[in-house]
Amino acid sequence: GPMTAFWLDYSLIFAMATVAPDETILFSFILPIRLKWLGLASAAYMLFVAATGGLPEKAAVAAALVNYVVFFGEHWRTALRGRTVVARQRARRADIEASVPVLGNRSCAICGAQESDGTDIRVCTCERCGGQPRALCLAHARSH
């Protein structure tokens, strides 16, 4: 068949959806559509043709997707690696917040002095405490 840029156009739509997924364009100058949905539709069509088409279609789709992978491979690798870090940080932050006593009701874990009595209470999260947050008065936090 004739050589056209049909599949390259589809990969460029997919690339635009990666860069700005929440942008809205006017499809056929009438229908507003977000780029993420247009990108997903073009990716789905490319995958469908690659799965059901002949060898020339598979090669054309693969060549178009190689361009996408060359430009966005590092982006996706960083995004996936960053997402796992964010998930671990969020879980650790939730564990710490759940175990720290509420401000105003804290008391020293060693001597029992209350924050409501005017004692300066600090939260200690050192290795000697086993890594778990512990409320200590200022005197015990310094000598700890």
Side-chain angles (χ1 to χ4, degrees):
M3 299 299 275
T4 64
F6 182 76
W7 296 112
L8 183 61
D9 292 342
Y10 269 75
S11 70
L12 290 175
I13 291 171
F14 191 48
M16 283 183 2
T18 302
V19 172
D22 292 326
E23 289 295 321
T24 303
I25 62 169
L26 290 176
F27 188 69
S28 299
F29 300 107
I30 299 171
L31 182 65
I33 187 167
R34 289 192 186 256
L35 279 177
K36 64 182 168 186
W37 301 118
L38 193 59
L40 285 173
S42 68
Y45 182 63
M46 289 173 75
L47 289 174
F48 172 75
V49 169
T52 61
L55 187 60
E57 288 86 9
K58 290 180 183 185
V61 169
L65 287 179
V66 164
N67 288 326
Y68 179 83
V69 171
V70 165
F71 285 104
F72 291 104
E74 183 66 28
H75 165 76
W76 285 113
R77 189 173 342 146
T78 304
L80 292 174
R81 186 178 303 139
R83 183 171 292 163
T84 58
V85 169
V86 170
R88 282 184 287 165
Q89 288 174 344
R90 188 176 297 134
R92 185 172 185 274
R93 190 174 303 124
D95 288 344
I96 289 174
E97 288 174 357
S99 62
V100 173
V102 179
L103 184 64
N105 297 333
R106 296 185 290 189
S107 62
C108 179
I110 297 173
C111 67
Q114 297 277 332
E115 190 173 34
S116 58
D117 296 336
T119 307
D120 189 9
I121 302 291
R122 303 293 172 101
V123 177
C124 176
T125 56
C126 67
E127 290 298 321
R128 281 195 251 165
C129 295
Q132 294 298 320
R134 229 169 63 159
L136 299 172
C137 66
L138 188 58
H140 287 113
R142 287 186 179 157
S143 64
H144 173 65

